[in-house]
């Protein structure tokens, strides 16, 4: 099952005893990945700050980390969460690549596809 929060997406297994995070742990982690504090997460989801803190601690324990930034990075590395905003940006650049070029890029001497590929790599 996919959970979306802001520009982040989490893949959550619905079966008990699965290796990944629970739905609430993933939701909390996605909120933190979007830059929210524990209090902001609690307020948005209608939970107490203590409940959010406990859920995040469980998620950190599953990931083997102790800080939010490390948890986000490790969850991304495991494929449990991903940043959907980057995918959307790459899709927009792909459309731009097919529709034309501007004068400054044309004067650079590179092909349109090579220039757009560089833009996509710079963002990714």
């Amino acid at each position: 099952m996919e959970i979306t929060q802001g520009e982040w997406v989490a893949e959550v297994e619905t079966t008990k005893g699965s290796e990944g995070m629970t739905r609430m742990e993933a939701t909390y982690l996605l909120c933190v990945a979007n830059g929210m504090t524990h209090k902001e997460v609690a307020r948005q989801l209608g939970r107490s700050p203590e409940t959010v803190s406990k859920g995040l601690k469980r998620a950190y324990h599953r990931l083997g980390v102790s800080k939010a930034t490390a948890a986000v990075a490790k969850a991304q590395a495991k494929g449990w969460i991903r940043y959907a905003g980057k995918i959307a940006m790459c899709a927009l650049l792909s459309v731009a690549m097919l529709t034309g070029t501007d004068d400054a890029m044309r004067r650079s001497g590179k092909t349109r596809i090579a220039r757009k590929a560089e833009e996509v790599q710079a963002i990714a």
Side-chain angles (χ1 to χ4, degrees), residues 26-54:
T27 302
Y28 298 152
L29 190 59
L30 292 178
C31 288
V32 169
N34 279 309
M36 298 172 74
T37 65
H38 291 199
K39 286 183 181 180
E40 291 170 337
V41 174
R43 197 174 311 118
Q44 180 175 340
L45 299 176
R47 306 264 195 264
S48 73
E50 293 81 21
T51 302
V52 172
S53 291
K54 286 178 186 177

Side-chain angles (χ1 to χ4, degrees), residues 61-91:
H61 180 71
R62 283 183 202 270
L63 293 164
V65 298
S66 60
K67 301 221 184 260
T69 52
V72 171
K74 193 154 185 186
Q76 278 186 294
K78 287 182 171 252
W80 293 356
I81 67 171
R82 70 180 186 278
Y83 182 67
K86 188 181 291 184
I87 295 168
M89 182 58 72
C90 289

Side-chain angles (χ1 to χ4, degrees), residues 99-117:
T99 59
T101 62
D102 63 24
D103 289 336
M105 293 181 116
R106 190 170 52 243
R107 282 185 247 128
S108 71
K110 295 180 183 173
T111 65
R112 178 176 49 144
I113 292 174
R115 289 188 301 267
K116 293 298 179 180

Side-chain angles (χ1 to χ4, degrees), residues 1 5 16 19 26-27 44 55 57 63 66 71 79-80 85 94 104 116 118 121 124:
M1 168 197 312
Q5 188 73 23
K16 276 199 167 233
E19 180 183 307
T27 302
Q44 180 175 340
K57 283 181 184 177
L63 293 164
S66 60
W80 293 356
S94 296
K116 293 298 179 180
E118 287 177 0
Q121 288 299 320

